[in-house]
Amino acid sequence: MATMKDVARLAGVSTSTVSHVVNNTRFVSDEIRERILKAVAELNYSPSALARSLKLNQTRTLGMIVTTSNNPFFAEVVAGVERICYQRGYTLVLCNTEGDPERLRHNLEVLLQKRIDGLLLMCTESHSASAEVFGQRPAIPIVVMDWGPLDSKVDRIQDNSAQGGYLATRHLLEQGHRKIGLITGPLDKLPAQSRLEGYRRALEEAGILFRPEYVVEGDFEFAGGIAGMHQLLALAEPPTAVFAGNDVSAVGVYRALYRAGLQVPQDMSVVGYDDIELARYLTPPLTTIHQPQEDLCRQAVDTLLDRIQGADDAPRLIMLEPALIQRESVRCVR
């Protein structure tokens, strides 16, 4: 394998001049640059990524820690982040936690050993566990993507879930529904809390009494949607519409209604949240709240790169605005 010394010898220049051309760190005349590039091509020389990372103290590698989940939203976000990283000339190293704080610690150790330049965090472990882990580690730039510790002094890219919950509930109200159920996510997580807040605000604005029995705590998973819908159907006065805290829960709702011999939207109107790709292929296609995934991924990566490049302003909170996507899962009952 050719070395920089081999290139310098063939081009008749010093190794430092070759380094300046390869790394584009100083002006070199066109004639000398051409000789060096010709030697590079002839010898098939490739600079050592390790040597360059040690010299520049950067590896052009980002880490991402994410909770393993059945929710396709996570997979779609990871794919989007990897695409943006590739466009920016960075490599992404992905680690899953499976909801285990110990795996969170282990994954962080592994990523630090790989000398990542910065970290994207999108995991649902308890806030105290996450804060404890990151509070004990060397400072590296971190951006939290919607899901993560609330008390971290780091940048956050966050969906306006309260507004999303409001939009979902208001749409059902506008279609004439007054008995509206809600299957939340885990209420120790910010997205679930915020979507419940938006639900309550829409009811209050419409003058509809909040009924605690219409709110069921779920887990943002398929099984939680099934169990939550069964619980609502067992009420003496079941709702006529359900706002599922995410699209995965809404899929569970569809399943529970099918088992009960009920149809969407004839017997029960359903609204989801996230607008995962699967939502448009359900029968009927699911009305849902669209999260701007592309913006989430781009803002997260670019904010992290700003920190890596030395931005030292106060931690940023970037709020992304959701939008209602109307399909065919809501019936007008006015």
Side-chain angles (χ1 to χ4, degrees), residues 11-29:
V13 298
S14 67
T15 54
S16 62
T17 303
V18 174
S19 175
H20 288 310
V21 170
V22 169
N23 296 303
N24 198 28
T25 52
R26 197 186 73 182
F27 173 77
V28 176
S29 71

Side-chain angles (χ1 to χ4, degrees), residues 7-290:
V7 174
R9 189 178 302 112
L10 182 60
V13 298
S14 67
T15 54
S16 62
T17 303
V18 174
S19 175
H20 288 310
V21 170
V22 169
N23 296 303
N24 198 28
T25 52
R26 197 186 73 182
F27 173 77
V28 176
S29 71
D30 290 342
E31 187 260 328
I32 293 177
R33 178 181 295 274
E34 186 176 338
R35 278 163 42 198
I36 291 172
L37 293 178
K38 183 179 178 182
V40 166
E42 185 175 332
L43 295 172
N44 196 26
Y45 169 70
S46 178
S48 166
L50 177 60
R52 179 177 290 183
S53 69
L54 291 172
K55 180 176 181 178
L56 301 178
N57 199 30
Q58 285 190 0
T59 61
R60 298 192 71 81
T61 301
L62 304 181
M64 184 174 188
I65 299 180
V66 62
T67 296
T68 302
S69 170
N70 290 327
N71 189 346
F73 176 74
F74 285 89
E76 292 175 10
V77 169
V78 169
V81 167
E82 196 280 331
R83 182 171 59 253
I84 301 297
C85 287
Y86 174 76
Q87 293 171 357
R88 304 292 190 265
Y90 277 75
T91 300
L92 182 70
V93 178
L94 176 68
C95 292
N96 294 318
T97 69
E98 296 190 351
D100 181 359
E102 190 53 44
R103 277 194 68 171
L104 175 64
R105 294 183 178 89
H106 173 75
N107 288 338
L108 185 59
E109 292 284 0
V110 170
L111 291 173
L112 290 174
Q113 289 170 12
K114 292 183 179 296
R115 296 175 54 84
I116 58 170
D117 296 334
L119 177 66
L120 297 166
L121 180 64
M122 193 177 190
C123 56
T124 60
E125 284 67 30
S126 70
H127 302 149
S128 59
S130 298
E132 175 190 350
V133 170
F134 289 103
Q136 297 173 351
R137 304 298 174 180
I140 60 169
I142 298 175
V143 171
V144 171
M145 298 178 67
D146 200 27
W147 294 57
L150 297 176
D151 49 358
S152 296
K153 303 297 189 292
V154 297
D155 299 306
R156 290 187 69 93
I157 315 296
Q158 184 175 311
D159 168 61
N160 189 346
S161 287
Q163 179 64 9
Y166 172 81
L167 291 174
T169 310
R170 187 182 69 178
H171 176 64
L172 291 169
L173 290 164
E174 288 172 345
Q175 301 309 305
H177 294 278
R178 294 297 178 264
K179 295 182 288 184
I180 301 172
L182 169 62
I183 301 173
T184 73
L187 287 174
D188 63 338
K189 303 296 186 291
L190 179 62
Q193 296 171 14
S194 298
R195 290 166 201 179
L196 172 58
E197 174 190 330
Y199 165 85
R200 297 192 65 156
R201 178 161 63 93
L203 292 180
E204 181 179 355
E205 186 179 278
I208 305 298
L209 181 67
F210 174 76
R211 299 175 63 166
E213 69 272 22
Y214 278 177
V215 177
V216 178
E217 183 171 1
D219 57 5
F220 281 148
E221 301 291 346
F222 297 108
I226 293 173
M229 191 67 252
H230 283 318
Q231 186 171 332
L232 291 173
L233 289 175
L235 294 173
E237 189 180 3
T240 64
V242 173
F243 167 32
N246 68 351
D247 289 348
V248 166
S249 298
V251 173
V253 167
Y254 271 48
R255 178 64 174 167
L257 292 170
Y258 173 77
R259 287 177 175 174
L262 302 175
Q263 292 183 304
V264 178
Q266 292 89 333
D267 302 306
M268 185 72 65
S269 292
V270 182
V271 176
Y273 201 111
D274 284 339
D275 195 23
I276 61 176
E277 186 176 3
L278 177 63
R280 71 195 71 175
Y281 298 114
L282 294 176
T283 303
L286 178 66
T287 293
T288 186
I289 300 299
H290 173 75

Side-chain angles (χ1 to χ4, degrees), residues 263-330:
Q263 292 183 304
V264 178
Q266 292 89 333
D267 302 306
M268 185 72 65
S269 292
V270 182
V271 176
Y273 201 111
D274 284 339
D275 195 23
I276 61 176
E277 186 176 3
L278 177 63
R280 71 195 71 175
Y281 298 114
L282 294 176
T283 303
L286 178 66
T287 293
T288 186
I289 300 299
H290 173 75
Q291 282 209 63
Q293 287 184 24
E294 187 68 23
D295 280 354
L296 173 65
C297 299
R298 180 177 49 79
Q299 293 267 24
V301 173
D302 287 347
T303 299
L304 187 57
L305 296 184
D306 281 349
R307 293 299 182 192
I308 291 169
Q309 292 160 12
D312 61 355
D313 51 324
R316 308 169 194 173
L317 173 59
I318 300 174
M319 193 73 74
L320 303 179
E321 294 303 320
L324 176 72
I325 304 297
Q326 296 187 49
R327 295 195 178 103
E328 302 169 29
S329 62
V330 175

